Amino acid sequence: SILSGKVAAALDLHPESAGEHLISASGQVLDSFVHIDKFGIGPIVASDVNLMVEPKSGSADTDPIGGTIAPDILKTFDLDFDFGRHTLTLYSPKHCKGKVVYWSLTYGSIPFLDNGGHIVVPAELDGTRIYAIIDTGSSDSLLGEDMARRFFDFSKDNPNAIAIHGAPQDAVVRYRQHFKKLVIGPVTVTNPVLGVRSDKMEKSYDREAQNDVDPAATDLLYGAQMNLPPVLIGMDIFRNLHPYV
């Protein structure tokens, strides 16, 4: 989980070196953390929590988003995302098996892999089998540039590729690409548009993770290693569902 640098400064928290670093979905390097005595989500309060610190940008007064709550905290609970009511409900995982969907008589279930606390689901994009990571911290869904080129004919000249106006040359995402269909279990998304994540970020991640790669996780279709699936399902798609995890 991450606390923004501007909020850490506003709360007079002093970041310490983490001794290692993470690379966020936006390509930022996170290498420091702060210790929080008490951290609460609604009525649920935890003690002695460490949060990675995101580099400062802007002011705590101008940006209402103070950080990201990640699987290191949320994996303790079952999660009910009700976007229609703008509500996230946290449940104890100790409940009767199969007795969780209270809002509908019909529903579908999707098996997933636990990749370091992140949810990775099997899917199909325009008929090509893929793995996709579910990331509620990303506003947009993304596709790795290498996979886009090899399997989906991505190039700057492809009429399905759209340049993002005003994106700087070093931006993580400079293009979007139109697709016909994304299938995730029983859910079909028609005409999805995915941002194309630059090779620069993926190569940077690969260099940092090279010594930790499990050879069994290497796959020519799904990427150099399973730690960074080439497709990321963001909130532009996820918010149209009522997921229970």
Side-chain angles (χ1 to χ4, degrees), residues 195-206:
V196 179
R197 183 181 53 215
S198 74
D199 279 338
K200 176 191 67 175
M201 178 197 166
E202 295 188 46
K203 290 175 181 175
S204 172
Y205 189 96
D206 287 345

Side-chain angles (χ1 to χ4, degrees), residues 29 42 87 147 158 190 232:
V29 176
T87 302
M147 185 177 189
N158 188 323
T190 56
L232 181 151

Side-chain angles (χ1 to χ4, degrees), residues 7-200:
V7 172
L11 296 176
D12 197 27
L13 298 172
H14 304 287
E16 304 174 43
S17 173
E20 59 182 5
H21 64 266
L22 305 175
I23 299 178
S24 71
S26 63
Q28 287 187 308
V29 176
L30 312 177
D31 57 7
S32 61
F33 75 96
V34 291
H35 180 80
I36 308 294
D37 292 332
K38 291 189 180 298
F39 180 81
I41 307 173
I44 301 172
V45 179
S47 301
D48 298 323
V49 175
N50 292 330
L51 301 176
M52 296 297 287
V53 178
E54 186 177 39
K56 283 195 292 185
S57 63
S59 163
D61 297 326
T62 58
D63 187 351
I65 306 300
T68 303
I69 303 174
D72 59 329
I73 292 176
L74 294 179
K75 67 183 179 182
T76 308
F77 308 97
D78 278 9
L79 306 172
D80 174 16
F81 296 88
D82 189 343
F83 296 107
R85 292 191 171 94
H86 304 287
T87 302
L88 170 64
T89 305
L90 282 63
Y91 290 99
S92 166
K94 298 178 181 179
H95 53 67
C96 297
K97 186 176 181 180
K99 303 294 184 181
V100 296
V101 179
Y102 58 87
W103 61 89
S104 176
L105 296 176
T106 58
Y107 61 92
S109 61
I110 304 172
F112 67 84
L113 303 175
D114 181 352
N115 181 27
H118 291 88
I119 296 173
V120 180
V121 296
E124 285 190 9
L125 182 60
D126 282 1
T128 298
R129 294 185 304 110
I130 59 172
Y131 278 131
I133 187 169
I134 305 295
D135 188 353
T136 57
S138 177
S139 57
D140 299 315
S141 297
L142 305 174
L143 171 69
E145 184 177 346
D146 180 62
M147 185 177 189
R149 284 201 185 100
R150 288 194 291 159
F151 296 98
F152 301 105
D153 197 29
F154 169 73
S155 73
K156 299 174 184 178
D157 300 323
N158 188 323
N160 288 324
I162 305 170
I164 299 175
H165 180 71
Q169 288 295 317
D170 61 348
V172 172
V173 179
R174 295 177 53 214
Y175 291 88
R176 295 189 178 97
Q177 181 156 332
H178 286 272
F179 295 88
K180 295 177 181 178
K181 185 167 62 175
L182 172 66
V183 180
I184 310 170
V187 176
T188 297
V189 180
T190 56
N191 303 314
V193 179
L194 276 64
V196 179
R197 183 181 53 215
S198 74
D199 279 338
K200 176 191 67 175

